[in-house]
Amino acid sequence: MFNLSKVRYSVSQAKKNLIRNGLMSIASLFTITCCLLILGLFTVISINVNSYTEQMKDQCEVQLYMTNGITDERITQIGEEIVAVSNVKAFELYTREELYNYAMNDVFKGREELIGEYTEEDNPFSDSYKITLADISLTEQTVSELSKIADVDHIENKQDMTNIVLTVSNVVKKVSIVIMIILLLVSMVIISNTVRLTVFNRRKEINIMKYIGATDAFIRIPFVIEGVMIGIIGALLSFGMISWGYIALSKMYLNSGFDVVELVSYTQLAPFIGILFVLFGCLIGVIGSAISMNKYLKV
Amino acid sequence: MIEFKDVTKEYDNGTLALDEVNLKIENGEFVFLVGSSGAGKTTVTKILMREENVTSGQVYLYGEDITKISQKEIPYLRRKMGVVFQDFRLLEDRTVYENVEFAMRIVGASRREIRRRVPVVLNMVGLNYKAKMLPKELSGGEQQRVALARALVNNPSILIADEPTGNLNPKTAMEIMEILDNINQMGTTIIMATHAKEIVDVMKKRVVEIRDGKVVRDEVGGEYNVQPV
């Protein structure tokens, strides 16, 4: 059983070991901090690209034009039929009168001759619905369903733009996952090797503990606590650096005049990155120290 | 209380270290294990601590067959014994006091118990005044006394000593033997593997000679008398 006295001893030993193995602790700390910094940098970029593609997705709409000459009741009915189609998130009606007035009063104001001989009665525009989709990857299917509605003249969709956004979003997601896995593995290997070196330096101590009757848990726990301590310190250090860098770069970007893309705010980003860092730091600390010790526990 | 019954130990490389060994050691005995290098003395101590397990046979400790215990139970078995090695095996970066305290920490002793017991044991081995020193500041004999204190601090009923005087000069070796004898007088069973002829001859204890993995002599009050191979 692990009583209070042993817990207290394990924590105090972990602290002492951190100081005793100063250089090795610094090496581990440096490695964890660097790994977390790279992970953090990549996460920040990935979150921002994702946020940008999400913004772009909201702008991907479908325009459904209705046959001229249908009644207002039919137009309302078509609206109801559109709602019934799956994947329709929102829709908005643009009447041909509205469009004509918009053209005459806003777009071509003072240059009415450009619109030619058209009058309100001989209106060149059609009634249409602007439809926002829930999932733009299903655009083609949705458009096909929408085109089955009677009195629909034609449907315009920004398929090219949709495809680009989808491709970018998918590439970012895939690359994020691959880089995260690579970083996780690389950090595990580096940390595990660093801890293995620490454990190797202390193999005599572990050996003596085994002969005196220490359980594997009793031997392992101070090393694991030490790993967690290094992990947490590394997480805090890298979190501080990433935060400082992000805030400074955001300010520079906003003041640059080229701020065409909206960055994710630091307050939105900080909790996620903070939790990710602490979890990641602890995880590599724990796994790194636990794995590396197995060899020396077999006495 | 300790009984080896038809114990055979063959290592993975094919070396037959013990061959059908039968040996009984009663509570409070002082037993010298003698024999030339590679005879199997250390294997006996390793099997007792379950650093190695037998190939066949049984080893009973207080009636329990320790060859059958699980890996998880080994630490608890070792706590019934104190161990002393030829090379002392002290933690170089810890003081004399901390080295002894360490053994009590492992068994989960309270701080109060530790504060009470460690000075008593250090006094027993005559090192109370060097409690704050590091092992490298001590002589070989003193280091072995620290190792003895560490082995005794948890009041083990058995003390296993593997060549404890091997690295010491004759005078210091006799000092260590005096301490071991005192410990034995207090009721602790002592099993000591040794090559030290003078010590065995002077102490007049039970001598068990092992040759080629077999017990060839078991004599109370015996002498070293090991024939070179």
Side-chain angles (χ1 to χ4, degrees):
Chain A
M1 278 295 288
F2 234 75
N3 59 26
L4 193 66
S5 159
K6 282 187 184 174
V7 173
R8 217 183 282 138
Y9 181 71
S10 296
V11 174
S12 78
Q13 278 309 301
K15 279 196 273 183
K16 276 184 192 166
N17 287 341
L18 262 183
I19 299 162
R20 268 192 203 124
N21 305 290
L23 266 180
M24 208 50 96
S25 304
I26 290 170
S28 304
L29 186 63
F30 182 74
T31 318
I32 290 195
T33 309
C34 286
C35 286
L36 288 177
L37 264 181
I38 301 170
L39 179 82
L41 263 177
F42 190 76
T43 311
V44 165
I45 293 170
S46 162
I47 288 175
N48 273 293
V49 172
N50 264 329
S51 146
Y52 177 65
T53 49
E54 285 305 317
Q55 286 169 33
M56 294 298 288
K57 275 184 186 176
D58 286 342
Q59 290 166 21
C60 289
E61 297 143 350
V62 167
Q63 201 78 28
L64 179 143
Y65 294 93
M66 289 164 280
T67 322
N68 279 343
I70 57 171
T71 61
D72 287 353
E73 288 76 32
R74 179 62 195 138
I75 292 173
T76 317
Q77 227 173 27
I78 291 175
E80 285 160 10
E81 285 173 49
I82 290 171
V83 177
V85 171
S86 55
N87 197 32
V88 169
K89 191 167 139 192
F91 69 105
E92 197 183 340
L93 174 66
Y94 290 95
T95 63
R96 50 200 301 252
E97 290 76 25
E98 261 174 8
L99 289 171
Y100 181 80
N101 289 333
Y102 176 64
M104 295 302 283
N105 302 331
D106 289 301
V107 185
F108 298 107
K109 196 172 169 61
R111 294 174 293 163
E112 286 80 2
E113 67 283 0
L114 289 173
I115 209 161
E117 294 148 5
Y118 292 116
T119 61
E120 201 160 351
E121 286 69 41
D122 183 21
N123 184 342
F125 297 102
S126 301
D127 294 312
S128 67
Y129 277 108
K130 185 180 88 174
I131 303 167
T132 311
L133 304 182
D135 180 357
I136 60 163
S137 65
L138 302 172
T139 305
E140 214 166 308
Q141 284 159 260
T142 314
V143 166
S144 142
E145 273 186 66
L146 288 169
S147 60
K148 286 177 193 155
I149 298 173
D151 300 318
V152 169
D153 187 72
H154 68 283
I155 298 170
E156 273 177 14
N157 68 70
K158 300 167 187 164
Q159 193 64 50
D160 292 347
M161 159 104 155
T162 311
N163 286 343
I164 291 170
V165 171
L166 275 178
T167 313
V168 169
S169 164
N170 282 339
V171 167
V172 167
K173 269 185 195 156
K174 280 178 190 159
V175 171
S176 308
I177 292 169
V178 170
I179 294 189
M180 288 252 188
I181 292 172
I182 293 173
L183 274 177
L184 193 80
L185 290 178
V186 167
S187 343
M188 288 277 186
V189 171
I190 297 172
I191 294 302
S192 154
N193 272 332
T194 316
V195 178
R196 195 164 293 170
L197 220 60
T198 317
V199 174
F200 180 78
N201 282 341
R202 281 146 69 180
R203 65 194 181 283
K204 191 179 161 193
E205 179 182 336
I206 294 172
N207 189 274
I208 293 169
M209 287 169 103
K210 289 287 288 184
Y211 279 119
I212 299 176
T215 57
D216 287 356
F218 184 86
I219 299 172
R220 211 188 279 267
I221 283 173
F223 283 94
V224 173
I225 295 176
E226 197 181 328
V228 171
M229 281 176 173
I230 295 177
I232 291 177
I233 298 171
L236 294 177
L237 276 177
S238 44
F239 180 68
M241 287 188 238
I242 287 278
S243 299
W244 175 81
Y246 193 75
I247 293 171
L249 281 176
S250 301
K251 266 187 197 159
M252 273 171 63
Y253 176 71
L254 285 174
N255 296 333
S256 68
F258 295 103
D259 52 331
V260 279
V261 178
E262 196 185 329
L263 290 182
V264 176
S265 75
Y266 172 72
T267 45
Q268 266 179 289
L269 204 72
F272 177 73
I273 299 273
I275 292 169
L276 179 80
F277 275 22
V278 171
L279 281 181
F280 199 83
C282 289
L283 191 78
I284 45 186
V286 168
I287 297 180
S289 27
I291 291 175
S292 329
M293 290 200 64
N294 283 343
K295 187 181 162 191
Y296 298 99
L297 289 175
K298 289 176 193 143
V299 177
Chain B
M1 47 122 25
I2 298 172
E3 187 176 5
F4 278 61
K5 248 184 166 177
D6 302 322
V7 172
T8 297
K9 172 66 188 175
E10 191 178 343
Y11 286 102
D12 291 342
N13 63 8
T15 309
L16 186 65
L18 295 179
D19 186 8
E20 303 270 322
V21 166
N22 286 291
L23 180 66
K24 239 183 194 175
I25 298 169
E26 297 299 333
N27 281 341
E29 272 197 276
F30 194 129
V31 180
F32 284 118
L33 295 177
V34 299
S36 48
S37 295
K41 307 184 296 291
T42 300
T43 303
V44 170
T45 62
K46 280 185 173 176
I47 286 174
L48 268 174
M49 288 189 293
R50 265 300 301 273
E51 190 183 336
E52 294 290 345
N53 205 356
V54 299
T55 308
S56 66
Q58 294 90 40
V59 178
Y60 293 98
L61 182 74
Y62 302 114
E64 187 191 8
D65 186 358
I66 61 165
T67 64
K68 300 275 190 299
I69 64 170
S70 69
Q71 202 67 27
K72 276 192 173 171
E73 289 171 292
I74 293 175
Y76 303 97
L77 166 77
R78 289 180 183 169
R79 290 178 195 178
K80 292 177 188 161
M81 310 167 188
V83 198
V84 182
F85 300 96
Q86 181 175 0
D87 56 358
F88 322 132
R89 301 200 192 170
L90 298 175
L91 299 171
E92 300 296 333
D93 56 356
R94 298 189 203 185
T95 64
V96 167
Y97 185 94
E98 285 169 338
N99 263 285
V100 180
E101 173 199 37
F102 181 62
M104 287 192 84
R105 290 285 187 191
I106 283 170
V107 298
S110 69
R111 277 197 272 191
R112 218 173 116 194
E113 282 175 89
I114 292 170
R115 272 200 296 266
R116 190 184 56 78
R117 176 80 180 147
V118 176
V120 171
V121 182
L122 283 178
N123 199 33
M124 204 190 284
V125 297
L127 277 180
N128 230 348
Y129 64 106
K130 292 197 171 174
K132 286 183 182 165
M133 289 180 134
L134 290 170
K136 65 178 177 205
E137 297 168 315
L138 305 177
S139 69
E142 286 169 332
Q143 289 191 47
Q144 193 57 295
R145 282 195 268 163
V146 179
L148 261 174
R150 184 182 64 194
L152 294 171
V153 76
N154 288 326
N155 269 323
S157 52
I158 305 162
L159 187 89
I160 296 171
D162 193 3
E163 301 275 1
T165 57
N167 282 351
L168 307 176
N169 63 47
K171 185 177 171 283
T172 316
M174 281 317 294
E175 282 170 14
I176 293 294
M177 290 317 297
E178 202 183 326
I179 297 169
L180 283 176
D181 199 29
N182 287 338
I183 295 162
N184 179 238
Q185 300 293 322
M186 288 187 271
T188 307
T189 307
I190 295 182
I191 301 167
M192 176 172 156
T194 187
H195 279 125
K197 181 182 184 308
E198 300 77 13
I199 287 173
V200 177
D201 291 350
V202 167
M203 299 281 290
K204 299 276 181 234
K205 302 286 183 186
R206 180 177 168 192
V207 178
V208 174
E209 184 182 346
I210 300 174
R211 189 186 301 155
D212 299 330
K214 287 181 190 291
V215 173
V216 293
R217 179 164 59 105
D218 188 345
E219 198 181 358
V220 177
E223 293 191 341
Y224 185 73
N225 205 19
V226 174
Q227 301 304 315
V229 181

